Amino acid sequence: MKHVYGWLLLTPAAILLVGFTHYPAAATLVDSFFSTGTAIRPSRFIGFGNYALLAEDPIFWKVLGNNLWFALGTIPTSIALAILMAVWVNDRLPARALVRMAYFTPTVLPMIAVANIWLFFYTPQIGLVDQFRALFGAPSHNWLGDPGTVLACLMVMVIWKEAGFFMIFYLAALQSLPPELEEAAKIEGASRWHFFRRVMFPLLMPTTLFVLVNATINSFKLVDHLFILTKGGPDNASSLLLYYIYQVAFSFFDTAYASTLTVVLLALLAGLALVQFHLVEKRVHYR
Amino acid sequence: MSEIVLEEVSKHYGAVRAVDGVSLRAAAGKFLVLLGPSACGKSTVLRLIAGLEEPTQGRIFIGGHDVTRLEPDKRRVSMVFQSYALFPHLSVAENIVFGLKVRRTPRPEREERLARVATLVGLTEVLARKPAQLSGGQRQRVALARAIAAENKICLMDEPLSNLDAQLRHGMRVEIRALQQRLGMTVVYVTHDQVEAMSMADRVILMRQGRIEQEGAPEELYAQPATMFAARFIGTPAMNLVALADGPRGATIRGAPETPVLAGPGAGRVLGVRPEHVALTGEPGVPGSVASAEYHGADTILEVRVGDETLFVRAPGRRELGPGARVRLGWKPEAPHLFDAGSGVRLDLNQTLPQPA
Ligand SMILES: Nc1ncnc2c1ncn2[C@@H]1O[C@H](COP(=O)(O)OP(=O)(O)OP(=O)(O)O)[C@@H](O)[C@H]1O
Ligand SMILES: [Mg+2]
């Protein structure tokens, strides 16, 4: 009898989960083995046909490369910044609450709003960046229009947004460290840097792992800003994997190919998460 | 070379006077205990000596040098924290040699010191473990080992035994004292447990609200409490302090006018007598009635009502005295202490004898 009640209680959640998560995931996987159906030609099984297509799609490789650079450029920097800010904000400094809030503000802004703000920064000639450069007589530059600078510009913006968010986790972790540890280290003659490297950073490892996984997922998941800033352009120079999937599915209406891309993205993320857990766990100290 | 001197040291946190004009001297190679109730400023004094806090006023000397503004790592003191402050991600061995590594002690010497200290505190078996895998007593020893490994002549300890159970506490008390004597360390030891203070100290400083109430050898504090506060703080059960009243033949206990307990006036004075110095006697003892009796094994603690006051009596062995039993109490002439009821300051017993005409 107990089982019945248990299942009854689980049913509403289970229906939602199956209906909106598990079924679509499975359907995506199945779809990736079929061709896209049209009014004239119905969808049919083509095995790994879509995957073969993908392997030869230069845009896919371009976008994947972009995404890897994007992850590499944003994750370590935002984590390092987050730790730095957390340590700084954790100290007894005047107006500490204000500084904390200032660092956290970008996080509460929606990505769309952030993108709009940064659009003003990057606008040629009248944007903040160009205005500032003009002070030194530097020529105006189309930051978002230049394939050479567009990805870097996006990275800076995402770091700005993410670092404050990760800082909160580090701050929470720092505040759970007993202050006697630092005092004990001080008495033993350890410098602040030594204490950070040998005690604080290792003790922050669980947080780092958590943040690392989140940052990685975010770097593949967060594409809202592309809609505002670049639409993936110019010439796909700033397009990311998820944005490309969106384009394939809803601009080109190639649902089968979009499914294939999605499967690849999911496999990639799962693989990364596994590797991270495995690598970092060896060096993580769990209490 | 490892003498610690505080000159009129104060530490204020806003309006709170955590430490208020404390002067003290911890002689080299001696065991000094800072004793006092919670929030009286003991830890703050220790942290001032360690350099973790800067004094608001006053000066601190270690080994004759003024260290008032010196960083903690330059003071060459070790500290055992109440919470041990072990690094949870480092093994016992790494915890012990943490400071040696910081100070770049050569590896062979480091290993040698580690082995020696580990043997000393009995940790050789568990050197590879993490602190979380140790018992409370073992953690305490790691903290102690880390302090000893630095080979500083001064060791500060902030209630290091407060987290341990009674039995372990007794064992560690003996060990710490033995270690201090063997290594000739100057130890400043903070506790609110008067048993710890009495059993370990060469000298005890009793603190109260940021000030020094009394300073002396343990037996001095026991035999000559300077104030009612000191009298109450040292000894278990605490000293009986009973208000006196004037009587026709001398001072009497309030509410029991028949039997004088002291010559001279009584009003405004307080009589102190330790439970272990009160005996059950016959006539002409002070009459009272038993309120309760608590058997402790070696002795029985009787709560006796005398007039308006209550006295505790430590009577040897088991006493079958139910509530309401009539008893008479007596003590040796040198046993009582006398205090001024207003200021709480100790009065000389002789002053209360009748003046010759
Ligand atoms: N950082 C601080 N800020 C403000 N007040 C403090 C600070 N540290 C201590 N105090 C105050 O100073 C007084 C003495 O504190 P201290 O820690 O020295 O007491 P203690 O004698 O060690 O007590 P305990 O036996 O409970 O540890 C207390 O009233 C405490 O509230
Ligand atoms: Mg304390």
Side-chain angles (χ1 to χ4, degrees), chain B residues 124-135:
Chain B
T124 18
E125 309 290 307
V126 298
L127 283 178
R129 292 204 209 158
K130 296 274 170 71
Q133 301 163 315
L134 300 178
S135 75

Side-chain angles (χ1 to χ4, degrees), chain B residues 13 16 18 37-44 82 159 192:
Chain B
Y13 297 104
V16 182
S38 191
C40 69
K42 310 177 294 288
S43 296
T44 310
Q82 179 170 358
E159 306 202 30
H192 59 256

Side-chain angles (χ1 to χ4, degrees), chain B:
Chain B
M1 273 326 284
S2 53
E3 181 192 56
I4 305 167
V5 175
L6 268 63
E7 272 181 8
E8 285 296 319
V9 171
S10 295
K11 175 74 191 178
H12 301 171
Y13 297 104
V16 182
R17 298 178 167 222
V19 173
D20 197 10
V22 163
S23 299
L24 62 82
R25 181 173 159 272
K30 295 289 183 189
F31 202 112
L32 176 74
V33 168
L34 293 178
L35 178 67
S38 191
C40 69
K42 310 177 294 288
S43 296
T44 310
V45 169
L46 212 63
R47 295 169 59 82
L48 285 165
I49 297 174
L52 297 172
E53 308 279 352
E54 231 182 62
T56 316
Q57 266 165 32
R59 294 201 295 168
I60 301 171
F61 299 86
I62 294 179
H65 299 286
D66 188 337
V67 298
T68 314
R69 306 262 174 264
L70 208 61
E71 287 295 311
D73 57 312
K74 307 263 168 27
R75 299 195 182 193
R76 305 207 54 80
V77 301
S78 301
M79 185 154 170
V80 179
F81 289 79
Q82 179 170 358
S83 54
Y84 311 147
L86 301 179
F87 303 114
H89 61 299
L90 298 180
S91 70
V92 169
E94 288 169 319
N95 261 291
I96 295 175
V97 299
F98 182 88
L100 302 183
K101 271 191 179 166
V102 171
R103 296 185 196 280
R104 300 190 194 287
T105 313
R107 191 186 189 91
E109 189 185 342
R110 217 160 64 203
E111 307 268 300
E112 186 263 320
R113 278 205 221 174
L114 171 63
R116 187 152 39 87
V117 171
T119 319
L120 203 62
V121 297
L123 283 173
T124 18
E125 309 290 307
V126 298
L127 283 178
R129 292 204 209 158
K130 296 274 170 71
Q133 301 163 315
L134 300 178
S135 75
Q138 286 172 322
R139 280 181 219 177
Q140 212 279 319
R141 282 166 214 231
V142 179
L144 202 60
R146 185 172 63 185
I148 296 168
E151 293 191 354
N152 290 323
K153 276 292 172 196
I154 295 174
C155 187
L156 311 173
M157 304 191 189
D158 193 351
E159 306 202 30
L161 306 185
S162 59
N163 295 342
L164 306 185
D165 68 55
Q167 203 162 12
L168 202 53
R169 198 185 277 207
H170 178 256
M172 288 306 297
R173 226 155 53 202
V174 176
E175 277 181 45
I176 291 178
R177 177 64 165 151
L179 212 57
Q180 177 264 335
Q181 290 186 321
R182 189 144 26 117
L183 303 178
M185 286 189 294
T186 309
V187 170
V188 181
Y189 185 104
V190 163
T191 181
H192 59 256
D193 179 350
Q194 51 102 9
V195 179
E196 259 172 41
M198 300 307 271
S199 58
M200 297 169 90
D202 290 313
R203 268 187 106 65
V204 178
I205 290 182
L206 180 64
M207 291 188 63
R208 177 194 188 183
Q209 291 176 357
R211 302 178 150 275
I212 292 181
E213 185 83 359
Q214 187 174 4
E215 178 183 351
E219 53 275 17
E220 264 176 76
L221 266 77
Y222 179 80
Q224 300 271 316
T227 61
M228 268 158 63
F229 175 83
R232 227 179 272 128
F233 206 85
I234 302 220
T236 35
M239 184 189 282
N240 295 300
L241 291 167
V242 294
L244 296 179
D246 291 331
R249 287 176 294 142
T252 60
I253 293 176
R254 229 173 25 159
E258 310 82 44
T259 332
V261 290
L262 277 177
R269 283 152 203 261
V270 172
L271 176 85
V273 55
R274 295 201 180 274
E276 51 270 40
H277 295 156
V278 185
L280 299 177
T281 56
E283 294 268 359
V286 183
S289 72
V290 174
S292 71
E294 211 176 61
Y295 176 54
H296 281 198
D299 40 34
T300 306
I301 308 292
L302 300 168
E303 187 185 351
V304 179
R305 300 215 151 273
V306 177
D308 298 342
E309 301 283 345
T310 303
L311 277 94
F312 287 89
V313 180
R314 182 195 286 260
R318 186 174 184 104
R319 297 299 172 112
E320 301 288 355
L321 287 167
R326 313 290 309 175
V327 291
R328 277 181 182 271
L329 309 177
W331 47 79
K332 294 208 175 103
E334 70 273 14
H337 309 256
L338 202 59
F339 301 96
D340 183 75
S343 63
V345 175
R346 181 186 189 84
L347 300 173
D348 200 341
L349 261 183
N350 295 332
Q351 286 177 349
T352 66
L353 291 175
Q355 301 294 313

Side-chain angles (χ1 to χ4, degrees), chain A residues 112 156 175 237:
Chain A
I112 300 288
V156 171
Q175 294 195 330

